[in-house]
Amino acid sequence: MLAGAEKARYILVLRNDDSDNAFIVLAAKEVVTGDTKILALVNSDKNLSKINRVQTDIVFSLQTLASEMLLRKLSGENMDTDNLMDLLFQDGH
């Protein structure tokens, strides 16, 4: 068992090491069933495709978020809640 992961609605995988995060996602997928969603942090965008390979439900990338926000600000685009949420949580599939 992973601290009650088999009963959880969400599992947050937020380690500083992307390889740890990928391994934890794989381990969690072995015990979860049903509607449990797994959110994984990717610390480096170079590992984004790798974390997607372990088929996490939601990928969270601060590096991508910051880059996109900066680009949009420099281009004069306004940020609202909807496009911030789209940037913040990328579908892992």
Side-chain angles (χ1 to χ4, degrees):
M1 274 195 260
L2 294 171
E6 72 283 352
K7 299 176 189 174
R9 290 183 59 205
Y10 295 93
I11 296 176
L12 306 177
V13 183
L14 306 171
R15 304 276 305 178
N16 289 329
D17 184 289
D18 290 337
S19 60
D20 285 350
N21 289 340
F23 183 80
I24 293 167
V25 168
L26 290 172
K29 287 175 115 356
E30 290 182 355
V31 297
V32 299
T33 58
D35 295 331
T36 301
K37 301 289 183 199
I38 301 172
L39 180 145
L41 174 68
V42 63
N43 295 285
S44 174
D45 280 353
K46 70 179 182 177
N47 295 324
L48 194 53
S49 65
K50 293 174 186 159
I51 202 80
N52 282 333
R53 278 190 233 147
V54 296
Q55 299 179 343
T56 187
D57 296 300
I58 302 169
V59 176
F60 180 81
S61 171
L62 290 174
Q63 193 175 45
T64 299
L65 176 65
S67 298
E68 285 294 324
M69 289 178 69
L70 179 60
L71 286 171
R72 290 173 188 225
K73 179 68 175 172
L74 292 172
S75 70
E77 185 177 334
N78 287 327
M79 291 296 297
D80 62 24
T81 305
D82 289 335
N83 47 5
L84 180 59
M85 286 292 121
D86 289 343
L87 289 173
L88 191 56
F89 297 105
Q90 302 174 12
D91 186 350
H93 295 121

